[in-house]
Amino acid sequence: MKKLQSELLIAKHLRQSVFKNKAIFIITLFIGILLLYAIFSGWENFKNQNETSEKYQHESREDWLKNPDKNPHRMAHYGNFAFRKSTSLSVFEFGMEPFFGNAIFLEAHKQNTANFSEAGFSNSMLRFGEISIAMVLQVLLPLLIFFIGFNSIAYERENGTLKILLTQGVNWKQLLIGKALGIASVIMMLFIPTLIILVLVWLFLQNFTITADETIKMLLFIVFHLAYLLFFCVIAVLISAISKTSKKALITLIGIWLVFTIILPRTTQAIGGYIFEAPSKIQFNSAVEKDILKQGDSHNPNDPHYKAIKDSLLRAYKVDSVQKLPFNYSGFVMTEGEKISSRIYNEHLAELLQVYKKQNSFSKAVSFLNPYIAMKNLSMGLSNTDYESYIDFQKQAEEYRYKMAQKMNALQIKYISNKKPSAGEKPYSISKEHWADLEDFHYEAKPIAIVLKNEIISIISIILWITLLFILIRIAAQKLKAI
C-alpha cells in the first residue's frame, strides 16, 4: 500500500508540473479542439453517407419496380444498384472508406467494382488522411505523450533531484510506474471526455438500440486504444530514464514516433506491393474476358460450346429446332452463360484476392515491429472500414447480382415463347408484377467473430508489446543508475 502511495504521489506531482509549461498546455488544448472537430467530422461523414446510400438504394428499388412489362432478359441488363451503408463505429475510424466506393452497378454477364468513393471526388489533400477520432488517438496523442514525458526522468537527472528521490526510499520501479501513471493521468483528461461523447454519439446514431455484436466491438475499441496509449506512456518514461539529457530523450522519442506512424507504414505498403505485385484492373478484366471466350460466347449462336448444348437438347427432346422445345432456349443459354462467366470471374478474383491477402499479411506481420500498424488494422476491422470489409461488400453484391440475373433467366425460360413474334406484333414480355419477386439488396457488416479472426495477428501483436514493456520495466528497475 505504501508503495502504491509513492507511485500515486509521483504521478500527482508530474501532472501538476506538466501544465506549468505553456507549450504543453497549448498543444493539449489544440489536440482537444481537433478531437471535437473529429467527432463533428465523423458524425457528418456517417450521416451524409448513410442518408445518401438509403436515398439512392430506395430510388434504385423504385426504378426497378416501376419498369413496365418487358422481356426478363432486358430487365437483367437494365440492372440494379447495391449500396453499402456505414456502421456506427465508422464515426470513430474512417479507415479505407474514403478511398473505396460504396455503390456497385449490378447487371447480367458483367461484374463491376465499387464506385463513387469520396476520394474520387476530392482533391489530392485527401491522400494525407482525414481527421478522425482514431487518427488523433493513434497518431497525435502518442506525440503529445512524448512531449509530456521526454523530460520526466532525464530532467531529474540533469538538475540532480534524481539522486535525492532514490535516496529517500523511492526505488526505480516505483519511479518508472509513477511517472507513467502521471503522463497517463494527463492524457486521460482528453481520452475520457472524448469517450463519453463518443459513446453518446454512438448510442444516438443507433437510436439507443444496440446489439451485442456492436457493443463488443465498441468495448474492444476502447480497451485496445487505452492499452495503446498506456504503451506510449511507458515508452516515454523508459526512454527518458535511459537518456543522459532531456534533449537526447526528445530526439529519440520523436524518431520513434516518426518510424512508427509515418516511415514504417508507408515503407511496409510499398514493399508489400513490390514483393506481391497485383495485376492492373485492365489486365484482370482482359484475362477474365479471354477465358470466357475460350469457354464459349453465349451470344454467338455458332459458338461450338453452345452449339453442342443445342444439339444435345434437340436430341433429348426429339425435336429438330429450338422453337419446338418446351421452354425458352435463349433463357436456358443465358443461364448457362451466366454460370460460366461467374465461375471464371470468381476463379480470377480468388487469385487476385490471394495476392492482396499476401500483401496484407506482410503488413500485419510488420505489426510485431510496430504497434501503430497493429492498432490501425484492429481499429479499421472493428469499425468495418478495412480492406476485408470492402471485399465482403463486393462478394455480397456479386451474390445478389448472380441471383438477379438467374432469376430473370428463369422467368424467361418459363414464360417467354421460343417462337419469334410475327411482323407488327409486340415483343414477348411478362407482367411487371414479377419484378417484386427479387428482394432488395441489404448489406450485412462482418460479425465480431469474423473481425477477431481476421485481426488475430494485430491482437497478439498488441498483447506482446504490452508484455514486453512490463519486462523492460523490471529490467530497467534493476539496471538503471542515477548518474
Side-chain angles (χ1 to χ4, degrees):
M1 188 70 178
K2 189 176 180 181
K3 289 182 178 180
L4 179 60
Q5 287 178 343
S6 298
E7 291 162 359
L8 293 176
L9 188 63
I10 293 168
K12 183 179 179 182
H13 179 266
L14 186 144
R15 185 176 68 251
Q16 290 174 343
S17 65
V18 162
F19 292 113
K20 291 179 181 178
N21 186 332
K22 290 184 179 180
I24 295 295
F25 178 79
I26 292 171
I27 293 171
T28 305
L29 181 64
F30 176 71
I31 292 178
I33 294 171
L34 274 182
L35 280 168
L36 290 175
Y37 172 77
I39 292 171
F40 174 76
S41 176
W43 172 287
E44 284 293 305
N45 182 71
F46 175 88
K47 189 175 73 170
N48 291 340
Q49 180 161 322
N50 279 6
E51 285 179 355
T52 301
S53 295
E54 286 178 4
K55 176 186 175 183
Y56 288 111
Q57 187 74 68
H58 178 73
E59 287 184 6
S60 175
R61 181 65 176 175
E62 288 296 309
D63 288 343
W64 174 268
L65 295 175
K66 286 178 181 177
N67 270 276
D69 297 351
K70 65 172 64 175
N71 189 298
H73 189 66
R74 288 182 61 198
M75 279 298 291
H77 280 287
Y78 178 82
N80 209 336
F81 276 94
F83 288 88
R84 177 180 181 271
K85 290 181 66 177
S86 299
T87 63
S88 54
L89 277 168
S90 66
V91 171
F92 317 144
E93 170 67 88
F94 299 157
M96 298 183 179
E97 205 164 63
F99 302 94
F100 290 146
N102 61 357
I104 303 177
F105 179 59
L106 311 173
E107 57 182 320
H109 312 308
K110 188 176 180 182
Q111 293 83 4
N112 298 309
T113 54
N115 290 305
F116 310 114
S117 68
E118 189 175 344
F121 297 99
S122 303
N123 59 33
S124 59
M125 286 300 293
L126 189 60
R127 296 177 185 178
F128 292 96
E130 293 184 303
I131 298 176
S132 67
I133 295 296
M135 190 273 278
V136 176
L137 295 180
Q138 294 163 18
V139 178
L140 297 184
L141 277 191
L143 186 59
L144 175 60
I145 288 170
F146 286 171
F147 277 127
I148 294 172
F150 79 93
N151 64 354
S152 57
I153 294 178
Y155 181 75
E156 304 273 12
R157 179 181 282 113
E158 284 179 300
N159 64 14
T161 56
L162 182 57
K163 282 184 180 180
I164 299 172
L165 276 173
L166 294 174
T167 56
Q168 288 181 340
V170 176
N171 59 45
W172 270 107
K173 186 176 180 182
Q174 289 174 312
L175 184 60
L176 293 171
I177 293 175
K179 294 288 187 179
L181 289 176
I183 298 170
S185 66
V186 176
I187 295 303
M188 289 304 107
M189 295 171 65
L190 289 172
F191 186 67
I192 292 175
T194 300
L195 285 184
I196 293 172
I197 296 172
L198 283 180
V199 170
L200 291 175
V201 169
W202 176 71
L203 288 170
F204 183 81
L205 289 174
Q206 300 176 97
N207 296 319
F208 292 87
T209 56
I210 57 174
T211 63
D213 196 81
E214 286 295 305
T215 303
I216 294 171
K217 288 179 181 178
M218 180 64 169
L219 290 173
L220 289 175
F221 186 92
I222 294 171
V223 169
F224 276 100
H225 274 88
L226 177 60
Y228 176 79
L229 293 175
L230 291 176
F231 164 84
F232 279 96
C233 291
V234 176
I235 284 287
V237 172
L238 286 174
I239 295 298
S240 183
I242 65 174
S243 300
K244 296 295 182 182
T245 64
S246 298
K247 182 179 179 181
K248 287 183 179 179
L250 180 59
I251 292 171
T252 303
L253 287 171
I254 290 177
I256 291 172
W257 180 82
L258 286 171
V259 169
F260 277 176
T261 61
I262 298 176
I263 297 173
L264 263 182
R266 301 292 189 274
T267 305
T268 299
Q269 292 173 0
I271 294 174
Y274 178 78
I275 296 174
F276 307 105
E277 188 177 359
S280 66
K281 185 176 180 180
I282 294 175
Q283 290 173 325
F284 176 80
N285 289 336
S286 297
V288 172
E289 189 67 26
K290 185 177 179 181
D291 282 356
I292 290 174
L293 291 175
K294 282 181 182 178
Q295 185 70 47
D297 183 1
S298 59
H299 290 82
N300 180 6
N302 298 317
D303 183 90
H305 176 76
Y306 291 96
K307 188 175 186 304
I309 291 176
K310 182 179 74 171
D311 292 341
S312 64
L313 287 173
L314 295 178
R315 286 195 299 270
Y317 285 92
K318 299 179 179 178
V319 293
D320 56 7
S321 69
V322 294
Q323 283 75 23
K324 296 179 181 179
L325 289 172
F327 56 84
N328 184 271
Y329 172 71
S330 179
F332 182 88
V333 169
M334 292 301 110
T335 300
E336 178 68 12
E338 195 65 58
K339 285 180 182 177
I340 292 172
S341 62
S342 295
R343 175 179 57 79
I344 292 173
Y345 175 83
N346 288 329
E347 287 172 356
H348 280 268
L349 180 63
E351 292 177 4
L352 180 63
L353 294 182
Q354 195 62 32
V355 175
Y356 289 144
K357 185 177 180 181
K358 289 177 181 178
Q359 291 180 358
N360 290 333
S361 296
F362 178 80
S363 175
K364 288 180 180 180
V366 175
S367 66
F368 289 110
L369 302 175
N370 186 354
Y372 168 73
I373 292 178
M375 190 66 251
K376 184 67 176 177
N377 287 335
L378 180 58
S379 176
M380 290 192 299
L382 291 171
S383 304
N384 205 52
T385 58
D386 59 341
Y387 171 76
E388 280 79 8
S389 299
Y390 169 74
I391 293 302
D392 186 52
F393 170 52
Q394 288 274 161
K395 288 181 177 179
Q396 289 186 35
E398 170 56 19
E399 288 174 4
Y400 181 86
R401 185 204 69 79
Y402 182 77
K403 178 183 175 183
M404 175 192 75
Q406 296 298 54
K407 180 78 174 177
M408 295 301 105
N409 287 331
L411 290 171
Q412 181 174 350
I413 291 172
K414 185 175 181 180
Y415 294 110
I416 300 298
S417 171
N418 276 315
K419 296 178 181 179
K420 293 183 179 181
S422 57
E425 189 178 1
K426 289 183 179 180
Y428 294 132
S429 62
I430 62 173
S431 171
K432 63 181 182 180
E433 294 176 358
H434 290 286
W435 312 152
D437 293 343
L438 181 71
E439 296 178 357
D440 200 7
F441 175 82
H442 291 287
Y443 171 68
E444 296 291 335
K446 301 192 309 295
I448 184 62
I450 299 298
V451 173
L452 295 178
K453 181 181 177 182
N454 289 340
E455 300 300 335
I456 188 65
I457 293 177
S458 299
I459 294 170
I460 293 173
S461 172
I462 294 171
I463 293 172
L464 286 177
W465 274 101
I466 293 170
T467 305
L468 177 63
L469 285 187
F470 279 111
I471 295 171
L472 289 175
I473 287 175
R474 296 194 63 177
I475 295 172
Q478 296 170 0
K479 301 289 185 181
L480 284 171
K481 303 295 180 183
I483 301 175

